[in-house]
Every structure is written in structure tokens, then in C-alpha cells.
Amino acid sequence: MNANLYARLRAHFGPDDKPCLILPGGGIWTYGDLDRASARLANLLVAQGLKPGDRVAAQLEKSAQGFALYLATLRAGMVFLPLNPAYRPDELAYFLGDATPGLFVGRPGGTAVAAGNAIPCFELDDHGRGALVDAAAGQDEHFEPVARAADDLAAILYTSGTTGRSKGAMLSHRNLAVNATTLCSLWGFSADDVLLHALPIFHVHGLFIASHCALLAGASMLWAPRFDAATVLAWLPEASVFMGVPTYYTRLLAEPGLDAAACRRMRLFISGSAPLLPETAQRFRQRTGHTILERYGMTETGMLTSNPLHGERRIGSVGPALPGVALRIVAEGSEDGPALAPGEIGTVEVKGENVCRGYWRMPEKTATDWTADGWFRTGDIGWLDADAYLHLSGRAKDLIISGGLNVYPKEIELALDELPGVLESAVIGLPHPDFGEEVVAVVVAEPEAHLDTDAFLRTLKTRLAGYKVPKRIVIAQELPRNTMGKVQKNRLRETLQPRTGG
Ligand code: MCA
Ligand code: AMP
């Protein structure tokens, strides 16, 4: 049987004339439109000389055409590599050098790095226009999904590493299909659903979790190019399901129009990618009558746990393991278990067909993040309650999650240490009312040096995606260290004041 994920999704598509993507301003892409557009693009990829297994990199704002490019890549048996449009040229150069794609699709003016690396390029603008669709226009609108084995790669998604180097999670057709099928059924998706899709499509949450559920159910999606609270609120009365990161919910709560009437067709709000504060969940319930369903996952694994659709949704818990996912808690630092008892805190390890094969061209990182008997070490800390609901209480990995986007302090510290006059630096996350956590840098000057933090911020913005740039840089005389010489970030977090305003 062909394990190509596109074939699996297409088998569940709605009728040819059913709206699949409903765009702002009233434009509609039916399921037939999406199928034909992705066929034309798949034919174009083949005409470009790309072969199954070749990588197709896309650094685009969200558009229907960009989504069709993802589906076309699957369909043609190639490997999709989505990249955040906020990445700066140096960051992009790393991804392209590591993944060596056979094609790069970028925004107008955004293809120079790829072209400079002799990678063939097409442009696609933020409205889905450009050389890519022009070149595809003359292609045949039929394309049989290329035969793929279940373990063949469907996508590579980069996730930053604790050493500062990003790792490409190798996701197979099986990984994505298993997770999508489980979630579509667990969350009760049907053809009657209208998913309000406001997430970006360069991450697991928006590209896979949200859109696969809708496609597998033959449902419609209200396709917002980006999250904007007022626009989402205006669309809410037409939607039945919404998925977002916690920042979306705090921003929606700031809208006076958010009430039960605005949610009259809604059956399910889902949150993930970062901890949902119990206070946010409670305020949302008071305003709308809905208990947000919180779930937990990772780029390497897709979704791992979810609160139930019908059973008790526990605020503060991410729910039990999904069907097909084995989850255990082990003592921090213990290599191979044993599993701790309910109530005991440790690191979370998982196994299942949803977990990726490893990191692209990084066997040594794969060896560290998986145990010898195949458990994946998530780096998250938590405990299971008596009903096997998982409660996350912290992270063993040095990671900041800001507005649902991951920032690895090491990467920012390396960039800070290169700046003139900086002796050393430490980057931490502090509570933030909008982003959940904000990136804060502490820098120590070399003897006699004068540090210009405004100039630092300007420089960092040319080197790092905006969401990684510290919101604040604090100058310190020295960094607190333990007797082993390790920087004590917990002490920095205690001494620096979180901001209170928005
Ligand atoms: C933008 N900025 C940010 C962030 N986003 N700063 C900190 N954290 C952020 N997340 C900065 C920009 O650099 C810019 O700075 C300024 O804010 C305005 O940028 P803009 O793009 O207009 O911001 P926005 O539209 O308000 O975006 C905020 C957002 C967005 C809506 C929260 O970041 C977002 O959609 N986040 C969701 C990401 C997501 O899908 N995560 C799932 C990952 P300046 O003004 O200085 O230039 S998948 C995952 O985690 C796993 C698998 C899971 O479990 O789901
Ligand atoms: P990413 O690398 O973007 O896939 O982010 C995965 C990380 O996001 C996980 O390892 C968790 O630390 C975090 N995460 C995802 N969902 C949740 C959640 N519901 N609550 C707390 N943390 C979460």
C-alpha cells in the first residue's frame, strides 16, 4: 500500500466543490482547487528535476498557495522544509547548508541566500502570487501520489538545540499520519467542522496538527494569514474549532467582544505549544462557557498527550497520553528508567509511532536524545496523577518559550558574546503577560569596556529572528556561579523583576 501521506489525506477530502480554505475577503479554495493546485505544483517540482527524497525549502508568509506547495511536496515524495520568515540571512544560511534542499521558495527579495548557495529558487509573495504559481500554471492538474514507504521522510522541521545548533527532526509519512488519525478521532472532527486556522504554517502546530485534522475530516478552514485578535474574533461566530498557543487566548481575552454569543457555533478550543496559565483557562471559561482543552507535544513527536473531548478536562494538566503513545516519568539523570510512581516528579520519556526517526545528519544528537531501548527524552519535567493525567512542572532543557516560539538561550548567548566589549552573557526567560515568557539577557563587560545596549539590540536584529532578540539587556558586574563554575540562572531569575504591564 502507498504510505504517501497525501494519498491518505486525499482519501478523506471533502467533495470537489466543498470549501476547504475560506480566505479573508471571501475567496474560497475548494477541495478540488487544492487538489488541482497541488498537482500542478507537484508536476512543476518533477519538471525541475527534483527526485523523491529531495528537500523543498519554503520561507513564506502563510497563503493558500504556500499550503498547496506543502501538499505538492508530499505528493511528489519529496521532503518539506518549512522555515520561519522571521529568520535572518545568517540563520537561513545554516538551515540551507544543513538540509541542502534541491529547491528554495522564498518571498520577493528573500531568495538571495539560497541563490548564493546555488540552490534553484522561486518567489511567492504574501498573497500567493509570483514565479512559483506562474511556472505551475501550465502544468497538468493530475498527479498520482508517488509511492512512499511508511518510514520515508515527509518533512524536516528544525528545532533549536541546547548547544546553539538547530537540529532537523526527521518526520516520516507514518509519524504524521498516525498522529493526525489519532487526533482527528480523539477531538471528534467531522465534515461539519469549521476550523478557525490562525496559526503560522511553518511549525508542527499549524502545518500538521491543525490542518491535518481538518483535511482528514473533509472539514472547512477559515484561513487567517496570521493571528490578529480582532480578526479572529470577527470570524469566531462562523467557527466550530479553534487551536492556538496561550498568547492567542490572552489576546482574545483582551477583546471586549469575546463572550458566549461570539462562540455560539464553537464546540472546541484547544491550546498547546506552551503552558496555559490556569488563570487564563478560568477567565476564558467565565467569559465564554468553554473549558479550553490543553494538549502537549513537540516537534520531534507531534502530539503526546491531550485532555479528553468528553471526559474531565483538568486545568493545569495536559491530559493523559494519546492512544498509541507510551509515556513514563524517570528520575532526572537516570539513563534507562525505571518508571517513577504516580505523584513522583521526573523527566518525561515517550515512545510511539508518532516519534520521529532522529535528527537529520546528527547521529550523535540522536544517540543522546533517545535511550538505548528507544525512549525519546523530551527534556520536560512533570508527574502523572492517579488517573495518569500528565502535569508538566518545568523543563530540564534550557529553553524559553515566547508566544509559542522556542528560543534556546545558548544561541542568543553565542550571538551576544560576539558583540564588542562583551565578556560573557546569560540569557533567561522571565514571566511576561503577553508572551508567557520574555527573553532577557544579562551581559558582563570586558574590563574598561563601555556597553551600548541599544546598539546591541540593533545588531542582534540583523542576525537573529525578531522573536529571539532579547526584550531587555541588563548589564551586570558578574554572573552568579556555583562552585563548579556553572552560571546559576535560577538566581538571575530571582533577582530580575518580571514586567507587570502588557
Ligand atoms: C513576534 N514577536 C515576538 C513573537 N512574535 N516576540 C516574542 N515572542 C514571539 N512569539 C516580535 C517581533 O519580532 C516584532 O518585534 C514584534 O513582536 C511584532 O511582530 P509581529 O509578527 O507583528 O507579532 P505578532 O503578529 O503579534 O506575533 C505574535 C504571535 C506569533 C501572534 C504570538 O508569534 C505567533 O503566532 N506565535 C505562534 C507560534 C506557533 O505556531 N508555535 C507553535 C510551535 P519588533 O517590533 O521588535 O520587530 S509548534 C510547537 O511548539 C509544538 C509542536 C506544539 O506543542 O505545538
Ligand atoms: P517545540 O520544540 O517547538 O516542538 O516545543 C516543544 C516544547 O513545547 C515541549 O518540549 C514543551 O516544553 C513545550 N510545550 C508544548 N505544549 C505544551 C503545553 N501544553 N504545556 C507546557 N509546555 C508545552
Side-chain angles (χ1 to χ4, degrees):
M1 202 186 96
N2 185 1
N4 189 312
L5 176 63
Y6 186 80
R8 173 85 68 105
L9 295 171
R10 189 173 65 177
H12 297 270
F13 275 10
D16 206 71
D17 58 354
K18 170 155 185 182
C20 177
L21 306 177
I22 302 166
L23 310 177
I28 285 179
W29 277 50
T30 64
Y31 271 97
D33 293 333
L34 191 63
D35 189 58
R36 287 185 289 275
S38 74
R40 284 193 294 270
L41 287 164
N43 279 310
L44 176 66
L45 297 177
V46 173
Q48 291 296 304
L50 291 166
K51 303 272 181 303
D54 285 347
R55 275 78 57 209
V56 174
Q59 191 187 25
L60 300 168
E61 290 294 340
K62 184 174 171 185
S63 67
Q65 290 78 1
F67 186 53
L69 176 65
Y70 159 58
L71 295 177
T73 305
L74 287 179
R75 200 166 174 170
M78 292 150 201
V79 180
F80 196 59
L81 169 56
L83 294 163
N84 189 335
Y87 289 142
R88 310 299 300 159
D90 288 355
E91 294 167 299
L92 183 58
Y94 170 79
F95 297 121
L96 299 183
D98 193 56
T100 57
L103 183 73
F104 176 83
V105 183
R107 304 169 71 204
T111 54
V113 175
N117 284 285
I119 300 168
C121 298
F122 279 114
E123 285 184 358
L124 186 67
D125 75 14
D126 300 353
H127 307 285
R129 292 183 296 244
L132 181 79
V133 282
D134 295 347
Q139 296 288 337
D140 194 344
E141 56 187 37
H142 299 91
F143 187 98
E144 222 18 67
V146 167
R148 292 281 82 189
D151 285 330
D152 283 338
L153 283 194
I156 297 177
L157 269 84
Y158 277 86
T159 153
S160 301
T162 41
T163 56
R165 275 180 73 207
S166 289
K167 307 165 287 187
M170 298 192 289
L171 294 157
S172 67
H173 289 262
R174 185 207 311 272
N175 295 150
L176 300 180
V178 160
N179 214 225
T181 311
T182 303
L183 296 172
C184 184
S185 137
L186 194 84
W187 292 338
F189 269 86
S190 79
D192 293 335
D193 271 316
V194 179
L195 171 72
L196 177 36
H197 191 305
L199 287 154
I201 54 167
F202 46 77
H203 278 307
V204 164
H205 198 161
L207 185 61
F208 301 146
I209 308 308
S211 48
H212 288 171
C213 279
L215 295 181
L216 268 185
S220 300
M221 291 184 259
L222 294 163
W223 192 251
R226 55 189 289 279
F227 176 83
D228 165 70
T231 312
V232 164
L233 189 63
W235 249 345
L236 212 46
E238 294 169 48
S240 65
V241 184
F242 178 73
M243 291 188 202
V245 302
T247 298
Y248 293 8
Y249 289 102
T250 45
R251 290 190 183 181
L252 280 172
L253 278 166
E255 292 290 317
L258 180 78
D259 55 20
C263 305
R264 53 189 171 270
R265 271 199 70 185
M266 285 298 300
R267 66 171 184 86
L268 183 59
F269 286 94
I270 301 175
S271 175
S273 309
L276 181 70
L277 292 180
E279 184 213 327
T280 308
Q282 274 142 8
R283 285 176 54 217
F284 200 84
R285 186 152 68 185
Q286 281 156 12
R287 284 276 287 281
T288 66
H290 285 271
T291 302
I292 298 169
L293 178 155
E294 188 173 9
R295 59 49 170 192
Y296 154 63
M298 289 185 73
T299 299
E300 290 92 331
T301 64
M303 295 306 98
L304 292 165
T305 73
S306 170
N307 272 285
L309 180 65
H310 298 300
E312 186 196 349
R313 291 183 205 162
R314 291 192 186 160
I315 290 178
S317 163
V318 291
L322 297 179
V325 175
L327 187 151
R328 68 179 190 182
I329 309 288
V330 300
E332 252 189 279
S334 93
E335 282 304 294
D336 296 312
L340 296 176
E344 292 188 306
I345 296 187
T347 53
V348 180
E349 294 187 349
V350 294
K351 241 185 200 183
E353 291 192 314
N354 53 310
V355 180
C356 79
R357 291 176 17 183
Y359 298 116
W360 173 257
R361 292 176 179 167
M362 280 192 186
E364 72 296 344
K365 275 307 292 174
T366 304
T368 347
D369 285 2
W370 272 261
T371 66
D373 56 348
W375 290 87
F376 174 68
R377 303 184 167 107
T378 64
D380 291 308
I381 297 180
W383 53 281
L384 290 168
D385 66 21
D387 302 315
Y389 278 57
L390 178 66
H391 299 252
L392 292 173
S393 51
R395 298 178 205 127
K397 52 195 172 190
D398 193 10
L399 162 69
I400 301 166
I401 307 183
S402 170
L405 294 172
N406 290 5
V407 181
Y408 275 81
K410 187 73 190 169
E411 183 186 358
I412 319 306
E413 289 160 4
L414 290 172
L416 284 161
D417 293 349
E418 280 181 8
L419 297 173
V422 174
L423 179 66
E424 57 176 357
S425 61
V427 168
I428 56 169
L430 288 182
H432 187 277
D434 183 34
F435 292 126
E437 285 183 286
E438 68 173 337
V439 179
V440 175
V442 182
V443 291
V444 176
E446 286 170 346
E448 315 291 325
H450 165 76
L451 302 186
D452 180 347
T453 53
D454 288 341
F456 284 178
L457 289 174
R458 284 195 296 276
T459 307
L460 288 177
K461 281 187 182 182
T462 65
R463 296 184 185 166
L464 297 169
Y467 68 89
K468 298 183 193 171
V469 174
K471 302 289 184 218
R472 279 191 275 162
I473 301 183
V474 177
I475 299 175
Q477 295 303 313
E478 59 178 6
L479 297 177
R481 290 180 189 277
N482 64 15
T483 47
M484 309 291 288
K486 193 172 182 296
V487 176
Q488 293 170 301
K489 292 198 171 178
N490 52 339
R491 283 187 53 199
L492 287 174
R493 278 188 285 268
E494 281 157 20
T495 39
L496 289 170
Q497 291 301 311
R499 74 173 74 210
T500 46

